[in-house]
Amino acid sequence: LVTFDPFRKGVAIVQGMDASRGWITDDGFRSWRYVSGGVTPWGGGKGASFARDGHVYVTTGQHGRNTGVLVSADGGETWTASVGPAHGLPKQDEGEFNGVFADPEDGRKAFLIAKKSLYRTTDGGKTWAVDPEAGMVGGFVTDPTHPGRFYVKNEKGVFATEDWHTFRPLGLEGPAEGGIACDAKGRVLVCRGRVGEKLGLWRCDPKDGAWTCLNPERLARAVAADPTDPGRIIFVTADNPFHDFAGGHGIFVSADDGKTWKPANDGLHLHRLTCVAFDPFDPETLVAGTSGGGFVTARWPKNKTANRK
């Protein structure tokens, strides 16, 4: 996972399995600090979110377990942890956390997905309460063109919601691995990889509800669009290494709104990647996470193919 702070230049959090949970940089990747919070350094990281007032949330867990929610109220300098029923959260062996969202204007307010339920806090993560009406959960992304609107992806399909209580179906149902994103035009991008039908990178404009396959790559895993130029799209590929041949075709980029694609693998040491993001303050900078080989960064100048640093 790569999460940039949209309010402070040079700040980002990267996360992965085991002890790669919660590494934060304040200087554009030149140095790193480990997010501790007083809990075990192991267990992996699942999600992160930033607010304008300095609140930062990090959810932890892997392999069906969680080790709490880490919260900072001072931009990541100091951290506290909320773990288990004492804070209104599930027990550690009752499922891992998924995404987390902090209110951009009031960081005391946030919600997270855990154990197929949505939990909310209004006191900066000290206490949480399950929202019994938020029955539709899954991977989610915000709509930059419509504050408060979210798109949710699960096996039932993709849905739009503005309150997490009512959901408008957009289609594309069925099981598949892969992430979800939303571009600067409010179009939804979904990766459907490895299992199920309709594999590849798909896009939907909620205005007309039609889905278009932008690329049929069967191992599509994560996607991002340039926040300043939605015609520039990047997606990465991966196959979980649990069988004899674990494939991955690296990184693909399009500078013409998905009409044509080029591989961007020069210098890439591992072609299985699970996440990718544009730096919101410098959208010619890309960061991607590999499956077992750390994180990589690249420069993608406007109208040119990406090349790894």
Side-chain angles (χ1 to χ4, degrees):
L1 176 75
V2 181
T3 308
F4 283 95
D5 186 336
F7 309 109
R8 286 169 285 276
K9 184 178 180 179
V11 179
I13 289 176
V14 299
Q15 301 195 90
M17 293 178 63
D18 299 332
S20 59
R21 185 206 72 210
W23 287 92
I24 185 169
T25 179
D26 300 301
D27 53 15
F29 315 131
R30 288 186 292 272
S31 64
W32 297 88
R33 296 180 289 109
Y34 189 70
V35 175
S36 176
V39 297
T40 172
W42 299 92
K46 298 297 296 186
S49 187
F50 295 86
R52 191 185 304 274
D53 62 10
H55 277 83
V56 190
Y57 291 78
V58 172
T59 53
T60 70
Q62 64 185 37
H63 304 320
R65 292 179 56 85
N66 74 80
T67 51
V69 182
L70 310 179
V71 184
S72 174
D74 53 14
E77 294 295 329
T78 60
W79 296 84
T80 58
S82 297
V83 184
H87 297 272
L89 293 168
K91 296 179 181 178
Q92 289 183 272
D93 60 356
E94 290 183 337
E96 61 190 63
F97 296 146
N98 202 319
V100 60
F101 174 79
D103 186 318
E105 304 304 327
D106 183 356
R108 297 170 300 175
K109 301 176 182 178
F111 68 79
L112 60 85
I113 304 298
K115 199 184 176 183
K116 297 184 179 181
S117 298
L118 187 147
Y119 290 74
R120 299 182 188 270
T121 183
T122 58
D123 60 6
K126 297 180 180 65
T127 58
W128 299 80
V130 66
D131 185 338
E133 297 182 18
M136 186 72 69
V137 297
F140 67 88
V141 67
T142 58
D143 184 343
T145 70
H146 194 292
R149 177 181 293 161
F150 299 86
Y151 296 103
V152 185
K153 172 184 176 289
N154 56 35
E155 291 190 1
K156 296 180 180 179
V158 180
F159 299 82
T161 182
E162 296 178 15
D163 58 8
W164 288 88
H165 298 154
T166 57
F167 297 85
R168 178 165 58 94
L170 300 179
L172 211 65
E173 63 277 359
E177 295 180 355
I180 184 171
C182 186
D183 69 19
K185 290 185 176 180
R187 298 175 299 182
V188 185
L189 295 156
V190 172
C191 287
R192 292 179 57 81
R194 206 184 66 80
V195 297
E197 300 178 348
K198 296 183 179 179
L199 300 183
L201 173 63
W202 292 76
R203 183 172 66 194
C204 175
D205 188 337
K207 294 178 182 178
D208 59 26
W211 286 95
T212 301
C213 183
L214 299 182
N215 192 299
E217 167 58 56
R218 66 182 184 85
L219 296 180
R221 176 59 64 88
V223 60
D226 184 335
T228 64
D229 181 358
R232 286 170 23 105
I233 311 168
I234 181 170
F235 77 91
V236 300
T237 63
D239 185 11
N240 285 331
F242 58 82
H243 48 96
D244 289 344
F245 177 78
H249 305 143
I251 299 174
F252 294 87
V253 296
S254 173
D256 57 8
D257 206 36
K259 297 180 180 65
T260 62
W261 295 88
K262 295 181 180 180
N265 296 331
D266 290 353
L268 195 61
H269 64 298
L270 187 62
H271 286 192
R272 294 196 314 269
L273 302 104
T274 57
C275 60
V276 65
F278 286 84
D279 185 335
F281 291 93
D282 178 14
E284 292 189 349
T285 293
L286 305 170
V287 178
T290 69
S291 181
F295 291 84
V296 294
T297 183
R299 293 288 297 175
W300 183 15
K302 300 287 186 178
N303 301 318
K304 292 185 180 180
T305 301
N307 290 292
R308 180 174 175 269
K309 272 188 176 178

